[in-house]
Amino acid sequence: MRRALELALDQMNAGSGGPFGAVIVKDGAIIAEGWNRVTSSSDPTAHAEIVAIRNACATLGRFHLSGCAIYTSCEPCPMCLGAIYWARLDCVYYANSRIEAASIGFDDDFIYSELKLPLEQRSIPAFRLLAHEALLAFEEWEAKLNKVRY
């Protein structure tokens, strides 16, 4: 955890982005690090946890991180939490809470609130189009013999 906190502070001071750092550990050793790069990379998905997950997957050469834990300087936002679940990490350790993050301007509660609303009532509404045509890719995936499930 101390390394995640060090990354958060050092990289924030270096101008990389917000005050967030993360490390991924496997078998007691850090295999990947990440820090917030949203502003320095012009990438709204470049949160510390996402960067660390991408680096860990590249290190291990696989798209899942079972057998690994993530240590992050702050409770993960909904996007990062989703990525943590998709990556199949074993557990999450965090330092600052999302309430503390909100107190300095990083408020993710609106996203949690949005997820509870019907799609068309969200502040960014979603509308379904071409549903019938879209099924073709799903049908072909289902029939595909050499697919890699994830």
Side-chain angles (χ1 to χ4, degrees):
M1 182 60 80
R2 285 190 179 93
R3 179 62 181 152
L5 298 175
E6 179 181 317
L7 287 168
L9 188 59
D10 290 351
Q11 294 301 320
M12 175 200 65
N13 286 329
S16 290
F20 305 99
V23 297
I24 295 182
V25 173
K26 180 174 177 44
D27 299 326
I30 294 174
I31 62 163
E33 298 180 340
W35 53 87
N36 186 284
R37 297 180 182 173
V38 170
T39 56
S40 62
S41 67
S42 300
D43 179 355
T45 69
H47 290 197
E49 297 90 339
I50 300 293
V51 173
I53 287 168
R54 289 174 181 161
N55 291 339
C57 288
T59 295
L60 296 177
R62 63 186 202 207
F63 57 82
H64 67 88
L65 297 174
S66 56
C68 300
I70 189 166
Y71 293 76
T72 180
S73 64
C74 188
E75 184 178 352
C77 75
M79 175 184 69
C80 293
L81 189 59
I84 288 165
Y85 275 91
W86 280 116
R88 311 287 195 266
L89 283 148
D90 290 356
C91 61
V92 177
Y93 298 97
Y94 67 94
N96 291 313
S97 72
R98 69 185 201 204
I99 294 166
E100 291 159 335
S103 74
I104 61 164
F106 294 95
D107 189 0
D108 300 324
D109 277 340
F110 81 95
I111 297 173
Y112 288 104
S113 297
E114 288 279 306
L115 292 174
K116 296 175 189 173
L117 297 173
L119 294 174
E120 65 281 355
Q121 291 180 16
R122 295 178 181 171
S123 62
I124 301 175
F127 305 97
R128 190 172 185 191
L129 300 174
L130 302 176
H132 181 70
E133 292 177 38
L135 286 175
L136 178 61
F138 280 13
E139 291 165 355
E140 289 193 18
W141 171 260
E142 187 60 30
K144 187 176 173 79
L145 298 177
N146 63 342
K147 64 185 161 227
V148 177
R149 294 197 178 270
Y150 55 94

